[in-house]
Amino acid sequence: MTGTVGEHDLETAARRRAEDLYAKDRTCELLGIDLRDAGPGRATVGMRVAETMVNGHGTGHGGFLFLLADAAFAFACNTHGPATVAQGAQVTFLRPAEVGDDLVAEAVERSRFGRSGVYDVTVRRSDGVPIAEFRGQSHTLGGRPPRPASESGE
């Protein structure tokens, strides 16, 4: 029973950290990116592709797709506590996004060690079809890096 309460507390704290970061994110506000879910090492965000987000080919500009994935990554890697930033990232575009597409980006922690972490993000259309895969590497700033739950006994 105690494990369940502790797990609930971790979920609540992680969600609160993501919400606090989201509340200060002017870019997400400007682009209509919404935080849909967050928990320890994970986050989901969404965005509708606007006419102002297309490239010369008339499809969703890759920079906006990268930004959406990067936002999910940022919220996910900051759910553990200390300020964490991107150390590097790469994206693979699988299919084009179209004006009006509702996109969802789901970030999942793959590994966290010392001050570093690796996160995968899948960007999908609302019909579930993946349009981009993103991998981000994080770096925790200052202070003592958080220990993975498996090492801290949580």
Side-chain angles (χ1 to χ4, degrees), residues 5 19 21 23 76 83 87 93 95 112 128 136:
V5 172
E19 288 172 346
L21 187 61
Q87 180 176 337
F93 301 110
R95 291 174 185 80
R112 200 161 45 97

Side-chain angles (χ1 to χ4, degrees), residues 17-65:
R17 288 182 192 112
E19 288 172 346
D20 289 347
L21 187 61
Y22 175 76
K24 298 173 196 165
D25 194 316
R26 299 292 310 224
T27 301
C28 285
E29 179 184 357
L30 177 69
L31 296 176
I33 295 173
D34 59 309
L35 177 63
R36 297 185 179 180
D37 187 34
R42 62 178 175 74
T44 303
V45 298
M47 174 185 82
R48 180 180 294 259
V49 179
E51 288 184 19
T52 56
M53 297 177 175
V54 298
N55 59 27
H57 299 291
T59 60
H61 194 292
F64 287 106
L65 301 179

